PDB file of all heavy atoms in Angstrom:
ATOM      1  N   PRO M 593      -4.270  17.314 -19.886  1.00 96.00           N
ATOM      2  CA  PRO M 593      -3.913  16.958 -18.386  1.00 96.00           C
ATOM      3  C   PRO M 593      -4.100  15.492 -18.329  1.00 96.00           C
ATOM      4  O   PRO M 593      -4.685  14.741 -19.025  1.00 96.00           O
ATOM      5  CB  PRO M 593      -4.927  17.655 -17.585  1.00 96.00           C
ATOM      6  CG  PRO M 593      -6.248  17.643 -18.565  1.00 96.00           C
ATOM      7  CD  PRO M 593      -5.602  17.919 -19.936  1.00 96.00           C
ATOM      8  N   HIS M 594      -3.318  14.953 -17.246  1.00 96.00           N
ATOM      9  CA  HIS M 594      -3.565  13.462 -16.944  1.00 96.00           C
ATOM     10  C   HIS M 594      -2.888  13.271 -15.643  1.00 96.00           C
ATOM     11  O   HIS M 594      -2.625  14.202 -14.821  1.00 96.00           O
ATOM     12  CB  HIS M 594      -2.752  12.561 -17.978  1.00 96.00           C
ATOM     13  CG  HIS M 594      -3.601  11.347 -18.358  1.00 96.00           C
ATOM     14  ND1 HIS M 594      -4.075  10.489 -17.342  1.00 96.00           N
ATOM     15  CD2 HIS M 594      -3.975  10.784 -19.511  1.00 96.00           C
ATOM     16  CE1 HIS M 594      -4.820   9.502 -17.906  1.00 96.00           C
ATOM     17  NE2 HIS M 594      -4.736   9.634 -19.151  1.00 96.00           N
ATOM     18  N   GLY M 595      -2.660  11.963 -15.313  1.00 96.00           N
ATOM     19  CA  GLY M 595      -2.080  11.558 -13.952  1.00 96.00           C
ATOM     20  C   GLY M 595      -2.615  10.228 -13.490  1.00 96.00           C
ATOM     21  O   GLY M 595      -3.164   9.366 -14.314  1.00 96.00           O
ATOM     22  N   GLY M 596      -2.553  10.016 -12.285  1.00 97.00           N
ATOM     23  CA  GLY M 596      -3.029   8.704 -11.761  1.00 97.00           C
ATOM     24  C   GLY M 596      -2.333   8.256 -10.445  1.00 97.00           C
ATOM     25  O   GLY M 596      -1.533   9.071  -9.848  1.00 97.00           O
ATOM     26  N   LEU M 597      -2.543   7.096 -10.013  1.00 97.00           N
ATOM     27  CA  LEU M 597      -2.091   6.622  -8.798  1.00 97.00           C
ATOM     28  C   LEU M 597      -1.478   5.121  -8.987  1.00 97.00           C
ATOM     29  O   LEU M 597      -2.145   4.313  -9.565  1.00 97.00           O
ATOM     30  CB  LEU M 597      -3.068   6.694  -7.696  1.00 97.00           C
ATOM     31  CG  LEU M 597      -3.825   7.891  -7.428  1.00 97.00           C
ATOM     32  CD1 LEU M 597      -5.167   7.828  -8.187  1.00 97.00           C
ATOM     33  CD2 LEU M 597      -3.976   8.069  -5.944  1.00 97.00           C
ATOM     34  N   VAL M 598      -0.451   4.821  -8.162  1.00 98.00           N
ATOM     35  CA  VAL M 598      -0.018   3.443  -8.075  1.00 98.00           C
ATOM     36  C   VAL M 598      -0.117   3.190  -6.524  1.00 98.00           C
ATOM     37  O   VAL M 598       0.405   3.958  -5.650  1.00 98.00           O
ATOM     38  CB  VAL M 598       1.437   3.253  -8.461  1.00 98.00           C
ATOM     39  CG1 VAL M 598       1.823   1.822  -8.090  1.00 98.00           C
ATOM     40  CG2 VAL M 598       1.542   3.311 -10.041  1.00 98.00           C
ATOM     41  N   ILE M 599      -0.920   2.220  -6.168  1.00 98.00           N
ATOM     42  CA  ILE M 599      -1.128   1.893  -4.678  1.00 98.00           C
ATOM     43  C   ILE M 599      -0.766   0.446  -4.476  1.00 98.00           C
ATOM     44  O   ILE M 599      -1.096  -0.443  -5.221  1.00 98.00           O
ATOM     45  CB  ILE M 599      -2.526   2.132  -4.255  1.00 98.00           C
ATOM     46  CG1 ILE M 599      -2.944   3.589  -4.571  1.00 98.00           C
ATOM     47  CG2 ILE M 599      -2.794   1.799  -2.785  1.00 98.00           C
ATOM     48  CD1 ILE M 599      -4.415   3.872  -4.348  1.00 98.00           C
ATOM     49  N   ARG M 600      -0.003   0.250  -3.422  1.00 97.00           N
ATOM     50  CA  ARG M 600       0.290  -1.112  -3.011  1.00 97.00           C
ATOM     51  C   ARG M 600      -0.294  -1.354  -1.539  1.00 97.00           C
ATOM     52  O   ARG M 600       0.142  -0.518  -0.683  1.00 97.00           O
ATOM     53  CB  ARG M 600       1.812  -1.430  -2.940  1.00 97.00           C
ATOM     54  CG  ARG M 600       2.267  -2.850  -2.417  1.00 97.00           C
ATOM     55  CD  ARG M 600       2.043  -3.855  -3.423  1.00 97.00           C
ATOM     56  NE  ARG M 600       2.603  -5.209  -3.107  1.00 97.00           N
ATOM     57  CZ  ARG M 600       2.533  -6.321  -3.733  1.00 97.00           C
ATOM     58  NH1 ARG M 600       1.930  -6.318  -4.960  1.00 97.00           N
ATOM     59  NH2 ARG M 600       3.000  -7.461  -3.341  1.00 97.00           N
ATOM     60  N   SER M 601      -1.174  -2.238  -1.358  1.00 96.00           N
ATOM     61  CA  SER M 601      -1.611  -2.524  -0.045  1.00 96.00           C
ATOM     62  C   SER M 601      -1.030  -3.915   0.343  1.00 96.00           C
ATOM     63  O   SER M 601      -1.234  -4.963  -0.312  1.00 96.00           O
ATOM     64  CB  SER M 601      -3.192  -2.697  -0.115  1.00 96.00           C
ATOM     65  OG  SER M 601      -3.732  -3.045   0.991  1.00 96.00           O
ATOM     66  N   GLY M 602      -0.376  -3.852   1.559  1.00 96.00           N
ATOM     67  CA  GLY M 602       0.278  -5.126   1.941  1.00 96.00           C
ATOM     68  C   GLY M 602       0.301  -5.300   3.504  1.00 96.00           C
ATOM     69  O   GLY M 602      -0.053  -4.352   4.152  1.00 96.00           O
ATOM     70  N   LYS M 603       0.822  -6.567   3.924  1.00 96.00           N
ATOM     71  CA  LYS M 603       0.756  -6.784   5.264  1.00 96.00           C
ATOM     72  C   LYS M 603       2.102  -7.357   5.800  1.00 96.00           C
ATOM     73  O   LYS M 603       2.863  -7.950   5.045  1.00 96.00           O
ATOM     74  CB  LYS M 603      -0.309  -7.972   5.489  1.00 96.00           C
ATOM     75  CG  LYS M 603      -1.768  -7.568   5.274  1.00 96.00           C
ATOM     76  CD  LYS M 603      -2.716  -8.751   5.474  1.00 96.00           C
ATOM     77  CE  LYS M 603      -4.088  -8.335   5.194  1.00 96.00           C
ATOM     78  NZ  LYS M 603      -4.646  -7.430   6.199  1.00 96.00           N
ATOM     79  N   THR M 604       2.376  -7.049   7.035  1.00 97.00           N
ATOM     80  CA  THR M 604       3.614  -7.427   7.634  1.00 97.00           C
ATOM     81  C   THR M 604       3.270  -8.162   9.037  1.00 97.00           C
ATOM     82  O   THR M 604       2.257  -7.900   9.464  1.00 97.00           O
ATOM     83  CB  THR M 604       4.755  -6.472   7.774  1.00 97.00           C
ATOM     84  OG1 THR M 604       4.252  -5.432   8.735  1.00 97.00           O
ATOM     85  CG2 THR M 604       5.094  -5.802   6.452  1.00 97.00           C
ATOM     86  N   GLY M 605       4.309  -8.765   9.616  1.00 98.00           N
ATOM     87  CA  GLY M 605       4.126  -9.295  10.968  1.00 98.00           C
ATOM     88  C   GLY M 605       4.033 -10.777  10.939  1.00 98.00           C
ATOM     89  O   GLY M 605       3.791 -11.376   9.811  1.00 98.00           O
ATOM     90  N   LEU M 606       4.346 -11.429  12.130  1.00 98.00           N
ATOM     91  CA  LEU M 606       4.255 -12.986  12.208  1.00 98.00           C
ATOM     92  C   LEU M 606       2.994 -13.499  11.668  1.00 98.00           C
ATOM     93  O   LEU M 606       2.976 -14.537  10.983  1.00 98.00           O
ATOM     94  CB  LEU M 606       4.575 -13.293  13.553  1.00 98.00           C
ATOM     95  CG  LEU M 606       4.877 -14.850  13.873  1.00 98.00           C
ATOM     96  CD1 LEU M 606       6.007 -15.283  13.138  1.00 98.00           C
ATOM     97  CD2 LEU M 606       4.963 -15.132  15.372  1.00 98.00           C
ATOM     98  N   ASN M 607       1.897 -12.861  11.965  1.00 97.00           N
ATOM     99  CA  ASN M 607       0.549 -13.325  11.541  1.00 97.00           C
ATOM    100  C   ASN M 607      -0.111 -12.362  10.609  1.00 97.00           C
ATOM    101  O   ASN M 607      -1.266 -12.364  10.425  1.00 97.00           O
ATOM    102  CB  ASN M 607      -0.310 -13.642  12.768  1.00 97.00           C
ATOM    103  CG  ASN M 607       0.295 -14.545  13.743  1.00 97.00           C
ATOM    104  OD1 ASN M 607       0.540 -15.687  13.351  1.00 97.00           O
ATOM    105  ND2 ASN M 607       0.540 -14.194  14.977  1.00 97.00           N
ATOM    106  N   LEU M 608       0.698 -11.628   9.888  1.00 96.00           N
ATOM    107  CA  LEU M 608       0.206 -10.588   8.939  1.00 96.00           C
ATOM    108  C   LEU M 608      -0.832  -9.671   9.496  1.00 96.00           C
ATOM    109  O   LEU M 608      -1.835  -9.423   8.926  1.00 96.00           O
ATOM    110  CB  LEU M 608      -0.238 -11.259   7.698  1.00 96.00           C
ATOM    111  CG  LEU M 608       0.666 -12.250   6.942  1.00 96.00           C
ATOM    112  CD1 LEU M 608       0.006 -12.922   5.780  1.00 96.00           C
ATOM    113  CD2 LEU M 608       1.926 -11.447   6.564  1.00 96.00           C
ATOM    114  N   GLU M 609      -0.442  -9.159  10.758  1.00 96.00           N
ATOM    115  CA  GLU M 609      -1.494  -8.484  11.523  1.00 96.00           C
ATOM    116  C   GLU M 609      -1.405  -6.963  11.197  1.00 96.00           C
ATOM    117  O   GLU M 609      -2.280  -6.276  11.698  1.00 96.00           O
ATOM    118  CB  GLU M 609      -1.293  -8.655  12.938  1.00 96.00           C
ATOM    119  CG  GLU M 609      -0.043  -8.293  13.583  1.00 96.00           C
ATOM    120  CD  GLU M 609       1.052  -9.309  13.635  1.00 96.00           C
ATOM    121  OE1 GLU M 609       1.045 -10.172  12.670  1.00 96.00           O
ATOM    122  OE2 GLU M 609       1.980  -9.282  14.523  1.00 96.00           O
ATOM    123  N   HIS M 610      -0.399  -6.490  10.526  1.00 96.00           N
ATOM    124  CA  HIS M 610      -0.301  -5.055  10.295  1.00 96.00           C
ATOM    125  C   HIS M 610      -0.454  -4.741   8.841  1.00 96.00           C
ATOM    126  O   HIS M 610       0.180  -5.282   7.989  1.00 96.00           O
ATOM    127  CB  HIS M 610       1.092  -4.530  10.857  1.00 96.00           C
ATOM    128  CG  HIS M 610       1.260  -4.680  12.325  1.00 96.00           C
ATOM    129  ND1 HIS M 610       2.318  -5.312  12.941  1.00 96.00           N
ATOM    130  CD2 HIS M 610       0.460  -4.291  13.405  1.00 96.00           C
ATOM    131  CE1 HIS M 610       2.163  -5.340  14.212  1.00 96.00           C
ATOM    132  NE2 HIS M 610       1.006  -4.754  14.477  1.00 96.00           N
ATOM    133  N   ASN M 611      -1.231  -3.748   8.606  1.00 95.00           N
ATOM    134  CA  ASN M 611      -1.545  -3.275   7.286  1.00 95.00           C
ATOM    135  C   ASN M 611      -0.645  -1.993   6.843  1.00 95.00           C
ATOM    136  O   ASN M 611      -0.303  -1.157   7.709  1.00 95.00           O
ATOM    137  CB  ASN M 611      -2.985  -2.822   7.037  1.00 95.00           C
ATOM    138  CG  ASN M 611      -3.898  -4.051   7.217  1.00 95.00           C
ATOM    139  OD1 ASN M 611      -3.664  -5.117   6.647  1.00 95.00           O
ATOM    140  ND2 ASN M 611      -4.962  -3.823   7.949  1.00 95.00           N
ATOM    141  N   HIS M 612      -0.197  -1.967   5.511  1.00 96.00           N
ATOM    142  CA  HIS M 612       0.585  -0.849   5.120  1.00 96.00           C
ATOM    143  C   HIS M 612       0.112  -0.399   3.705  1.00 96.00           C
ATOM    144  O   HIS M 612      -0.181  -1.315   2.902  1.00 96.00           O
ATOM    145  CB  HIS M 612       2.108  -1.160   5.040  1.00 96.00           C
ATOM    146  CG  HIS M 612       2.542  -1.804   6.334  1.00 96.00           C
ATOM    147  ND1 HIS M 612       3.098  -1.033   7.322  1.00 96.00           N
ATOM    148  CD2 HIS M 612       2.727  -3.002   6.683  1.00 96.00           C
ATOM    149  CE1 HIS M 612       3.416  -1.767   8.302  1.00 96.00           C
ATOM    150  NE2 HIS M 612       3.281  -3.016   7.971  1.00 96.00           N
ATOM    151  N   ILE M 613       0.085   0.866   3.472  1.00 97.00           N
ATOM    152  CA  ILE M 613      -0.297   1.323   2.104  1.00 97.00           C
ATOM    153  C   ILE M 613       0.745   2.273   1.564  1.00 97.00           C
ATOM    154  O   ILE M 613       1.337   3.151   2.263  1.00 97.00           O
ATOM    155  CB  ILE M 613      -1.651   2.186   2.229  1.00 97.00           C
ATOM    156  CG1 ILE M 613      -2.742   1.464   2.898  1.00 97.00           C
ATOM    157  CG2 ILE M 613      -1.935   2.773   0.843  1.00 97.00           C
ATOM    158  CD1 ILE M 613      -3.239   0.336   2.016  1.00 97.00           C
ATOM    159  N   ILE M 614       1.279   1.960   0.432  1.00 97.00           N
ATOM    160  CA  ILE M 614       2.186   2.773  -0.279  1.00 97.00           C
ATOM    161  C   ILE M 614       1.492   3.468  -1.543  1.00 97.00           C
ATOM    162  O   ILE M 614       0.809   2.694  -2.318  1.00 97.00           O
ATOM    163  CB  ILE M 614       3.469   1.981  -0.884  1.00 97.00           C
ATOM    164  CG1 ILE M 614       4.171   1.273   0.323  1.00 97.00           C
ATOM    165  CG2 ILE M 614       4.338   2.866  -1.630  1.00 97.00           C
ATOM    166  CD1 ILE M 614       5.252   0.288  -0.185  1.00 97.00           C
ATOM    167  N   GLU M 615       1.626   4.778  -1.636  1.00 97.00           N
ATOM    168  CA  GLU M 615       0.827   5.388  -2.712  1.00 97.00           C
ATOM    169  C   GLU M 615       1.751   6.403  -3.428  1.00 97.00           C
ATOM    170  O   GLU M 615       2.456   7.163  -2.817  1.00 97.00           O
ATOM    171  CB  GLU M 615      -0.391   6.121  -2.098  1.00 97.00           C
ATOM    172  CG  GLU M 615      -1.199   6.905  -3.206  1.00 97.00           C
ATOM    173  CD  GLU M 615      -2.498   7.380  -2.711  1.00 97.00           C
ATOM    174  OE1 GLU M 615      -3.168   6.792  -1.799  1.00 97.00           O
ATOM    175  OE2 GLU M 615      -2.899   8.503  -3.030  1.00 97.00           O
ATOM    176  N   TYR M 616       1.722   6.390  -4.654  1.00 98.00           N
ATOM    177  CA  TYR M 616       2.415   7.356  -5.610  1.00 98.00           C
ATOM    178  C   TYR M 616       1.422   8.001  -6.408  1.00 98.00           C
ATOM    179  O   TYR M 616       0.676   7.300  -7.134  1.00 98.00           O
ATOM    180  CB  TYR M 616       3.528   6.616  -6.415  1.00 98.00           C
ATOM    181  CG  TYR M 616       4.301   7.449  -7.398  1.00 98.00           C
ATOM    182  CD1 TYR M 616       5.183   8.337  -6.855  1.00 98.00           C
ATOM    183  CD2 TYR M 616       4.132   7.443  -8.730  1.00 98.00           C
ATOM    184  CE1 TYR M 616       5.950   9.202  -7.619  1.00 98.00           C
ATOM    185  CE2 TYR M 616       4.861   8.215  -9.615  1.00 98.00           C
ATOM    186  CZ  TYR M 616       5.755   9.163  -9.116  1.00 98.00           C
ATOM    187  OH  TYR M 616       6.498   9.809  -9.943  1.00 98.00           O
ATOM    188  N   HIS M 617       1.387   9.346  -6.520  1.00 97.00           N
ATOM    189  CA  HIS M 617       0.213  10.006  -7.120  1.00 97.00           C
ATOM    190  C   HIS M 617       0.789  11.130  -8.018  1.00 97.00           C
ATOM    191  O   HIS M 617       1.662  11.826  -7.601  1.00 97.00           O
ATOM    192  CB  HIS M 617      -0.666  10.677  -5.992  1.00 97.00           C
ATOM    193  CG  HIS M 617      -1.932  11.357  -6.503  1.00 97.00           C
ATOM    194  ND1 HIS M 617      -2.718  12.085  -5.687  1.00 97.00           N
ATOM    195  CD2 HIS M 617      -2.343  11.362  -7.773  1.00 97.00           C
ATOM    196  CE1 HIS M 617      -3.763  12.506  -6.464  1.00 97.00           C
ATOM    197  NE2 HIS M 617      -3.626  12.139  -7.643  1.00 97.00           N
TER     198      HIS M 617
END
């Protein structure tokens, strides 16, 4: 067995005020 995750944590907005998470599992 195996597996894992790729996660990107990023920000958007004029002042980078909003957080977003992209996850592939």
Side-chain angles (χ1 to χ4, degrees):
H594 219 311
L597 308 97
V598 172
I599 302 174
R600 177 81 173 178
S601 175
K603 295 179 180 292
T604 63
L606 188 61
N607 300 303
L608 302 178
E609 64 270 25
H610 296 128
N611 294 317
H612 308 276
I613 303 291
I614 300 173
E615 180 174 325
Y616 179 72
H617 186 187

